Amino acid sequence: MKLIGQILTETCGLSEQDLARALEIQQEKGGRLGEILIQEKTISESNLLKALSLQFGLPFSLTLPTEELKTGFTETVPIQFLKKHKMVPVIKGDQAFVATNDPLQFQPLDDIRLLLDLEPLEVVLAPQSPIISLINLVYDMTRDSAEQVIQHMHEEDTDLILSEIEEIGDLLEDTSDAPIIKLVNHIFSQAVKDRASDIHIEPLHDRIKVRYRVDGILYDMLYPPKHIQSALISRIKIMAKLNIAEKRLPQDGRIGIRIADKNIDIRVSTLPTASGERVVMRLLDKTHVLLKVSDLGMRKGQLKEFDQLIRSAYGIILVTGPTGSGKTTTLYAALSTIHKTDINIITIEDPVEYQIEGIGQIQVNPKIDLTFAKGLRSIVRQDPDVILVGEIRDLETAEIAIQSALTGHLVFSTLHTNDSASAVTRLIDMGIEGFLVTSSVIGILAQRLVRVLCEDCKEPYTPDEESLRGIGITPEMVQGKTIYRAKGCSACLQTGYRGRTGIFELMVLDDDIKNLILKTSDANAIKRQAVEGGMITLRRDGVRKVLGGVTTIEEVFRVTYQ
């Protein structure tokens, strides 16, 4: 049998120097040669697996099948065993083999052979990622559905919840028999699977309603019986470390969970209502946190202008839009784009949604009188280059933000206004003088989120003239373009949409706009001037995305209708 180093030299061009260095490390610290070469980034995992397949005479596959698999083995083989040894049985029709990342795991492979009666045992080498994904998929498929759990739930089971249970590890690995724990775990794992951003648990007069917000739209998912209401809410409150005895006052907490390979941070808010406590949970996937500015969905011209603005030495950049329009995501994308070791960035937020390494982030806390204004005063004394203020809510915060911009800081913040021109009106209504707005604000970005058409099922069609006219599309604009509508398939949960993107209106305050602001704070006049200067409005940017086959006429109309 050839040595692995020799095979790697022949198959992937491993140099003698790299091999010699890896052998030295092996001599000093021990370990396997292949793993050392991967750690040193000399070879890739697939390079090593190809070499091992030649050395052991085993087949190698980059991917594993995921359709029509038999999942009966999940009752016999614990998920922890497979994850620990990075192997998974693949049983499809008459074909059966075990995919593994390491052909030298003779004992675990033999254990699976005996447990599943696989004679002869076929072994296929595969990368770690598809193996772990398949383990998670198979064990998630075999979990009881929420309806099954509810059917098996009896009124006497609800007492089980009140025992103190700490949430640890992966929810897919939770083997608890308590039906209420199974139900809560299922609600969380299904929400993550469906890409939900929020979970709403709403008590009604005679039952409970569970809804998920997917791509900004709420969908009804479950209707558990009324008698499990107390247990369901208590289980969530225990996980969020809230007071389960206090049912008369609103409470806020956090839950950290792991589902498969995703770390999910859940913000929990409870609110007492006439029918019982209502719970809303915001899910934040920590594994896919920061976007780049180029991922937001801006067209090239806008992207270039916005990139220039966020690299300014000083001034205020405002992002405006209603709640849930992606303002925070845009600001985090801007910060991560300009974040370097030679600039000091400090933020004050309510709440701190994502934690960014190397940036000082302060959480607003009204209980101890740490408001945006007070925090901002302290930040200015911390020698920052860039400041992010979560939201300008009052005159005091606006004044300090403007003073900070005028004294050489770059300030990012948000406002709740419908478009970019209205942000100027809002600041002046708060009590800021027009000349202070023109001398500090350098750009205002208004944005909305539109749902993106599902690539698997979107269908072309010819809209009626009234729909085209209503959104501002002329017959000439449609020539040579295809307009699509949502249809619905299993990949998009029958909604016709999968994911969201932004539509943007970027108003850069040039001399003409500044001169106009000094004369009037009328948002319509300011907007007309900006459009004359070349600004693309939200509606027009949405029209471009309709003509580009990204979204639908209905979506753009829904988010830009005023």
Side-chain angles (χ1 to χ4, degrees), residues 181-447:
I181 294 175
K182 277 187 177 180
L183 177 62
V184 172
N185 288 357
H186 189 282
I187 288 170
F188 286 147
S189 57
Q190 192 62 42
V192 172
K193 202 182 201 178
D194 293 347
R195 301 174 293 105
S197 60
D198 300 81
I199 303 170
H200 290 231
I201 297 176
E202 302 167 16
L204 306 175
H205 172 62
D206 57 347
R207 56 184 174 167
I208 312 162
K209 182 159 68 173
V210 178
R211 299 199 285 174
Y212 293 167
R213 189 180 292 280
V214 181
D215 293 335
I217 307 293
L218 275 170
Y219 297 97
D220 292 357
M221 302 305 286
L222 275 176
Y223 286 95
K226 186 74 174 174
H227 72 257
I228 71 162
Q229 178 178 313
S230 175
L232 180 64
I233 306 297
S234 296
R235 170 62 182 159
I236 291 165
K237 287 169 86 170
I238 284 172
M239 292 176 79
K241 297 182 172 56
L242 299 177
N243 180 0
I244 62 169
E246 180 53 80
K247 298 180 181 180
R248 301 161 302 166
L249 292 171
Q251 295 186 65
D252 294 305
R254 284 186 111 108
I255 303 172
I257 59 170
R258 196 172 81 249
I259 294 177
D261 52 352
K262 294 180 177 179
N263 287 317
I264 310 292
D265 191 30
I266 302 171
R267 286 210 315 268
V268 182
S269 169
T270 70
L271 186 73
T273 69
S275 302
E277 283 182 289
R278 193 175 192 276
V279 180
V280 174
M281 293 173 277
R282 166 66 55 90
L283 278 66
L284 298 168
D285 184 352
K286 288 181 173 177
T287 47
H288 301 290
V289 174
L290 292 175
L291 294 172
K292 299 188 186 78
V293 170
S294 54
D295 297 331
L296 297 172
M298 290 185 191
R299 57 186 180 77
K300 280 186 181 174
Q302 272 179 334
L303 185 60
K304 190 177 178 184
E305 279 185 312
F306 189 63
D307 195 62
Q308 285 171 346
L309 282 177
I310 65 175
R311 295 179 194 280
S312 305
Y314 57 88
I316 295 180
I317 297 169
L318 294 171
V319 180
T320 78
T323 304
S325 58
K327 300 187 295 294
T328 306
T329 302
T330 297
L331 288 175
Y332 276 122
L335 288 186
S336 63
T337 301
I338 62 173
H339 180 31
K340 298 195 300 253
T341 52
D342 58 351
I343 63 169
N344 182 21
I345 302 175
I346 304 180
T347 77
I348 178 156
E349 305 166 63
D350 182 22
V352 173
E353 290 201 16
Y354 299 120
Q355 283 161 352
I356 312 173
E357 200 173 325
I359 291 179
Q361 294 172 276
I362 302 166
Q363 168 94 38
V364 166
N365 190 344
K367 288 178 187 170
I368 55 170
D369 204 26
L370 175 53
T371 59
F372 276 117
K374 284 203 170 174
L376 191 48
R377 284 188 197 281
S378 304
I379 285 174
V380 176
R381 293 194 286 272
Q382 290 275 319
D383 184 33
D385 300 293
V386 178
I387 301 167
L388 166 63
V389 186
E391 188 185 341
I392 293 178
R393 292 179 182 171
D394 52 43
L395 175 61
E396 191 183 3
T397 309
E399 284 176 337
I400 307 165
I402 283 169
Q403 289 305 321
S404 303
L406 294 174
T407 51
H409 302 93
L410 181 61
V411 181
F412 292 98
S413 192
T414 70
L415 272 178
H416 286 275
T417 62
N418 283 331
D419 60 10
S420 50
S422 304
V424 174
T425 313
R426 173 66 56 85
L427 288 174
I428 292 171
D429 286 349
M430 278 182 183
I432 302 293
E433 294 288 346
F435 72 89
L436 285 175
V437 174
T438 57
S439 54
S440 59
V441 179
I442 56 173
I444 303 167
L445 181 77
Q447 68 177 71

Side-chain angles (χ1 to χ4, degrees), residues 146-157:
E147 287 83 1
Q148 285 174 299
V149 174
I150 290 166
Q151 280 170 14
H152 297 151
M153 201 174 285
H154 307 291
E155 295 199 32
E156 58 270 20
D157 292 331

Side-chain angles (χ1 to χ4, degrees), residues 492-556:
C492 59
L493 306 174
Q494 305 302 326
T495 62
Y497 300 95
R498 189 169 174 83
R500 288 188 290 177
T501 190
I503 58 171
F504 301 93
E505 174 180 292
L506 179 60
M507 185 170 83
V508 180
L509 272 73
D510 59 20
D511 290 342
D512 290 336
I513 293 174
K514 286 179 181 178
N515 289 334
L516 182 61
I517 291 169
L518 292 173
K519 294 174 194 166
T520 176
S521 63
D522 177 24
N524 291 326
I526 295 166
K527 186 170 185 173
R528 274 195 301 274
Q529 179 62 55
V531 170
E532 280 175 29
M535 181 182 84
I536 303 294
T537 63
L538 279 167
R539 179 69 65 87
R540 276 182 62 198
D541 194 36
V543 164
R544 289 184 175 196
K545 288 190 165 63
V546 169
L547 297 173
V550 175
T551 190
T552 61
I553 290 172
E554 291 79 13
E555 269 300 285
V556 174

